[in-house]
């Protein structure tokens, strides 16, 4: 697989690679497994929630079961990737997504227009998206469980869980549409989630700190 | 930024973790206080949703119906094939078409619909025939105690005592918001028991049986809901009465 090749192997000159590996095979697999699960919970949610769709599709019980079980399955690929030896790149990226630098704050304040901002591997929008999606998975799992197994919980919790589940769903639809929209508007970034690598020029211009990290004097090749 | 970039140790503050934990906290608070927050939001958003011309606000989870059914699929019956059967402890069993129901004196109700799971839809316009009028037409035999409702989904049942059944705000509804009751809302004909939680209003109404004994508890009642499902006075809830 191309992704296991060292990023520097494509370049004749050690100091100036033509491509950088942005997402390794484990991360890409995780992303697309997640995407399929999210599309499943969201499309079944739409069928359960929108009256005319409910009537058109029918099979309500089956749709509900698919919704519940794909929702329960959602955290599994993430935990599996976090746990194993293969999760080296993912764990490193989770740490990156968690941390906000001064530049990130400036990027937010200038709405991404400040030319002096030096971004790392991820921009603040991507960081927010990652934290939001992680929160969504946990909160939806908890509230969905209260809704599904309501007999075991106080009556009021069911109302509250439905309320939270519904509003987060609305927010999630907006965020996912935004996520797909920004991906489609940046083919270089989209390709890195499909094939793993980005053009070094893109990295140098759009993610200078990450570029420096990968190519600078202290940089080391990816450990596999 | 004077610190050296090693790539191994990320700098900066853990905002991602804070966002994540914040969402978990807000989610937990929402579960505990969601009933209050929902009321507040409905009042806050009402002026906006009323003026919204795009229809997008109908997707927001305020003041909207959730569709429930207890069977695997949504039942379906054409208006042309529809027959409502009224039988049991009566003088004259009836079998009424949709047109027969429309030909009877109509009752209009403009009332809230409250679900026992917490959501409420304000000012729903229902049209139908008073259950009391139907029972009069069939003629109650002496000693009639209650009524049982059967759904053509083949599974759902409900019941009312005779005293409840004869209330003027209990109707066999064929119209909702000015249109024939749609399939997902229990059409073409369903019950609307205004003063009680939604589970008392049997959807996809197929038959009404008058009983000489106390009627059997309904589908959800054998699964723990209160038989007398008054809004605000049952199921451990304190919602504002609907009728």
């Amino acid at each position: 697989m191309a992704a296991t090749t060292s990023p520097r192997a494509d370049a004749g000159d050690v100091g100036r690679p033509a491509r950088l590996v942005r997402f390794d095979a484990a991360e890409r697999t995780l992303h697309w497994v997640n995407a399929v699960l999210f599309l499943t919970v969201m499309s079944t949610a739409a069928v359960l929630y929108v009256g005319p769709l409910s009537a058109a599709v029918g099979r309500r019980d089956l749709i509900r079961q698919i919704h519940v079980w794909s929702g329960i399955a959602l955290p599994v690929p993430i935990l599996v990737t976090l746990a194993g030896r293969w999760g080296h790149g993912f764990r490193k990226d989770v740490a990156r997504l968690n941390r906000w630098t001064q530049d990130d704050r400036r990027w937010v304040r200038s709405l991404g227009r400040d030319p002096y901002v030096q971004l790392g591997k991820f921009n603040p929008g991507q960081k927010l998206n990652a934290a939001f999606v992680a929160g969504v998975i946990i909160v939806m799992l908890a509230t969905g469980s209260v809704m599904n197994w309501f007999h075991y919980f106080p009556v009021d919790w069911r109302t509250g869980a439905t309320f939270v589940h519904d509003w987060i769903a609305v927010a999630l639809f907006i965020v996912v549409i935004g996520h797909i929209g920004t991906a489609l508007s940046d083919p270089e970034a989209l390709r890195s989630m499909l094939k793993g690598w980005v053009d070094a020029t893109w990295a140098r211009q759009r993610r200078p700190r990450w570029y420096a990290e990968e190519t600078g004097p202290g940089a080391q090749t990816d450990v596999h | 930024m004077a610190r050296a970039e090693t790539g191994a140790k990320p700098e900066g503050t853990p905002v991602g973790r804070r966002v994540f934990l914040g969402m978990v906290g807000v989610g937990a608070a929402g579960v505990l206080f969601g009933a209050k927050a929902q009321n507040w939001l409905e009042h806050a958003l009402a002026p906006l949703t009323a003026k919204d011309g795009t229809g997008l606000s109908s997707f927001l989870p305020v003041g909207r119906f959730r569709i429930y059914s207890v069977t695997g699929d949504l039942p379906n019956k054409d208006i042309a094939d529809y027959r409502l059967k009224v039988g049991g402890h009566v003088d004259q069993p009836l079998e009424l078409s949709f047109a027969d129901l429309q030909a009877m004196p109509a009752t209009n109700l403009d009332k809230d619909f409250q679900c026992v799971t917490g959501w409420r839809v304000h000012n729903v316009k229902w049209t139908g025939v008073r259950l009391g009028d139907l029972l009069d037409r069939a003629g109650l035999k002496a000693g009639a105690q209650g009524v049982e409702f059967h759904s053509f989904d083949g599974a759902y049942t409900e019941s009312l005592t005779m005293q409840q059944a004869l209330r003027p705000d209990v109707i066999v509804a064929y119209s909702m918001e000015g249109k024939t009751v749609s399939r997902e809302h229990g059409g073409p004909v369903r019950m609307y028991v205004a003063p009680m939680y939604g589970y008392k209003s049997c959807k996809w109404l197929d038959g009404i049986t008058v009983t000489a004994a106390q009627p059997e508890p309904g589908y959800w009642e054998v699964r723990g809901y209160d038989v007398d499902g008054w809004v605000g006075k049952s199921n451990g809830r304190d919602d504002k009465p609907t009728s």
Side-chain angles (χ1 to χ4, degrees):
Chain A
M1 205 180 271
T4 53
T5 323
S6 161
R8 264 149 291 272
D10 296 340
D13 182 349
V14 172
R16 297 170 59 198
R19 293 170 173 186
L20 294 181
V21 171
R22 189 161 181 240
F23 298 115
D24 65 26
E27 290 185 285
R28 273 146 40 217
T29 308
L30 171 62
H31 176 271
W32 292 110
V33 170
N34 245 346
V36 168
L37 284 172
F38 263 105
L39 288 182
T40 308
V41 284
M42 290 169 70
S43 54
T44 49
V47 169
L48 293 171
Y49 186 80
V50 183
L53 267 182
S54 301
V57 176
R59 299 172 171 279
R60 196 166 178 85
D61 193 48
L62 175 70
I63 301 291
R64 197 180 69 91
Q65 294 294 337
I66 295 173
H67 183 76
V68 167
W69 290 105
S70 48
I72 289 169
L74 250 178
V76 176
I78 298 171
L79 295 176
V80 167
T81 313
L82 273 179
R85 204 165 37 84
W86 48 80
H88 161 78
F90 179 56
R91 286 190 295 269
K92 203 167 158 186
D93 280 349
V94 169
R96 286 172 163 135
L97 286 163
N98 180 27
R99 299 273 167 178
W100 284 51
T101 62
Q102 289 296 332
D103 285 73
D104 287 332
R105 290 169 216 279
R106 276 169 59 185
W107 188 89
V108 170
R109 275 200 296 271
S110 70
L111 300 174
R113 284 195 287 258
D114 186 338
Y116 298 106
V117 164
Q118 301 265 300
L119 287 180
K121 187 170 181 179
F122 301 105
N123 74 28
Q126 293 166 320
K127 292 179 180 184
L128 265 185
N129 180 64
F132 174 77
V133 168
V136 162
I137 291 172
I138 294 297
V139 173
M140 292 306 240
L141 190 65
T143 53
S145 299
V146 174
M147 291 163 78
N148 200 46
W149 294 287
F150 58 92
H151 287 298
Y152 303 102
F153 301 97
V155 175
D156 267 0
W157 285 30
R158 191 182 183 186
T159 313
T162 309
F163 169 75
V164 173
H165 207 83
D166 282 357
W167 277 102
I168 299 231
V170 170
L172 180 67
F173 266 88
I174 295 168
V175 169
V176 167
I177 289 168
H179 177 69
I180 294 171
T182 39
L184 293 177
S185 72
D186 189 349
E188 192 67 28
L190 176 60
R191 196 192 44 219
S192 72
M193 196 47 95
L194 287 164
K195 295 185 173 162
W197 52 268
V198 285
D199 202 282
T201 317
W202 179 92
R204 200 169 58 232
Q205 287 166 358
R206 305 277 301 273
R207 300 289 187 273
R209 268 172 198 273
W210 175 56
Y211 179 81
E213 222 176 88
E214 297 288 311
T215 59
Q220 47 181 17
T221 42
D222 267 37
V223 182
H224 286 280
Chain B
M1 295 281 115
R3 246 174 304 171
E5 298 284 2
T6 61
K9 194 168 187 180
E11 56 173 319
T13 39
V15 174
R17 187 193 301 154
R18 288 174 199 167
V19 169
F20 174 77
L21 292 176
M23 283 184 69
V24 171
V26 169
V31 170
L32 296 177
F33 307 109
K36 285 196 187 81
Q38 182 167 297
N39 276 336
W40 180 85
L41 262 176
E42 286 194 3
H43 285 113
L45 291 176
L48 291 176
T49 50
K51 279 189 213 130
D52 173 32
T54 62
L56 275 176
S57 64
S58 68
F59 290 102
L60 290 180
V62 282
R64 76 195 299 285
F65 280 89
R66 272 74 167 168
I67 307 303
Y68 299 133
S69 74
V70 299
T71 53
D73 210 342
L74 288 179
N76 198 13
K77 197 162 267 190
D78 279 349
I79 288 181
D81 303 332
Y82 183 78
R83 295 288 181 279
L84 174 65
K85 286 148 270 207
V86 184
H89 204 57
V90 294
D91 298 327
Q92 172 73 52
L94 306 172
E95 200 170 303
L96 302 171
S97 69
F98 196 84
D100 292 338
L101 286 169
Q102 283 180 312
M104 289 182 69
T107 294
N108 295 302
L109 296 176
D110 182 348
K111 290 185 184 301
D112 293 1
F113 190 94
Q114 173 75 48
C115 180
V116 73
T117 64
W119 52 268
R120 184 182 187 110
V121 183
H122 296 279
N123 304 105
V124 186
K125 290 170 187 63
W126 303 92
T127 306
V129 177
R130 269 187 200 154
L131 179 58
D133 290 351
L134 269 180
L135 297 177
D136 273 353
R137 185 163 161 183
L140 292 172
K141 281 185 176 164
Q145 294 279 313
V147 284
E148 292 171 359
F149 306 95
H150 315 274
S151 166
F152 58 76
D153 70 2
Y156 204 80
T157 55
E158 251 310 327
S159 68
L160 293 172
T161 66
M162 192 52 74
Q163 202 188 358
Q164 292 164 357
L166 296 177
R167 284 177 62 111
D169 53 3
V170 174
I171 64 171
V172 173
Y174 50 74
S175 163
M176 176 186 168
E177 302 292 8
K179 288 181 288 216
T180 303
V181 179
S182 67
R183 183 181 170 195
E184 66 265 26
H185 287 298
V189 176
R190 65 171 292 167
M191 287 304 300
Y192 176 56
V193 182
M196 297 199 182
Y197 286 108
Y199 67 88
K200 295 299 288 187
S201 297
C202 182
K203 289 161 84 172
W204 305 294
L205 185 64
D206 190 41
I208 300 171
T209 307
V210 176
T211 59
Q214 279 299 314
E216 293 289 320
Y219 181 90
W220 283 115
E221 287 133 44
V222 297
R223 291 163 176 80
Y225 288 7
D226 287 350
V227 175
D228 295 319
W230 304 108
V231 172
K233 281 183 263 170
S234 64
N235 297 290
R237 301 185 57 87
D238 59 356
D239 308 288
K240 201 170 112 212
T242 43
S243 187

